[in-house]
Amino acid sequence: MKDKYYMDIALEEAQKAFDEGEVPIGAVVVDDLGNIISKAHNRRENDKNATYHAELMAIDSACKVLGGWRLHMCTLYVTLEPCPMCGGAIINSRIKRVVYAAKDPKAGAFGSVLNFNSYPLNHKPEVSQGLCEKESLELMGKFFKKLRDKRV
């Protein structure tokens, strides 16, 4: 299953974020031919920038690689449901498909808190959820436990 292959790469990116002390979220942009266009992980703590979410960084890089802002031939794989900021970028970049591992009950924009696809926006990506959910949630749990243990 190709989706699993790309989600595993997103999980590798999430592990990099974890290792850097960032919330462990990873993202990969893949074109219709199966080429990995870009991959990224959260960098907002280390780079001190609220917009440095994995999805935004992967989208930015993909736009630069492909030489345009329209990613209508691409799928975004991400380890956590995109937030409203990232959801806006997904819609504005015309990403065709989003595959995310785990729901985000605090900020998810594709089904958990909001569902951007239920609004009359000019683009609605196909959305799939649940692939590698367990692995994503385990890494998130490990990260936040480590954070809590540090505060004690």
Side-chain angles (χ1 to χ4, degrees), residues 4 14 49 51 74 78 105 107 116 123 139 143-144 149:
K4 172 83 165 76
N49 189 316
T51 67
C74 294
V78 63
F116 276 14
H123 177 70
L139 189 56
F143 175 80
F144 286 109
D149 290 349

Side-chain angles (χ1 to χ4, degrees), residues 1 8 17 28 46-47 61 63 65 68 86-88 101 103 109 122 125 128 147 152:
M1 174 192 246
D8 284 343
V28 179
N46 289 308
D47 290 341
S61 181
C63 289
V65 167
C86 295
K103 289 183 176 250
N122 62 346
S128 300
L147 209 58
V152 174

Side-chain angles (χ1 to χ4, degrees), residues 8-64:
D8 284 343
I9 294 170
L11 284 165
E12 289 172 11
E13 287 295 314
Q15 183 63 54
K16 288 179 189 176
F18 179 93
D19 295 342
E20 294 173 11
E22 296 279 347
V23 176
I25 300 170
V28 179
V29 176
V30 178
D31 71 14
D32 283 344
L33 300 175
N35 300 307
I36 295 174
I37 306 303
S38 65
K39 52 188 179 176
H41 55 276
N42 274 8
R43 296 275 317 151
R44 69 181 183 168
E45 294 297 333
N46 289 308
D47 290 341
K48 308 296 185 230
N49 189 316
T51 67
Y52 282 16
H53 287 201
E55 301 96 321
L56 292 185
M57 297 187 72
I59 289 168
D60 180 60
S61 181
C63 289
K64 288 174 181 164

Side-chain angles (χ1 to χ4, degrees), residues 75-94:
T75 297
L76 173 71
Y77 295 86
V78 63
T79 58
L80 188 68
E81 180 181 0
C83 72
M85 176 176 67
C86 295
I90 289 163
I91 290 164
N92 282 302
S93 64
R94 309 300 193 265

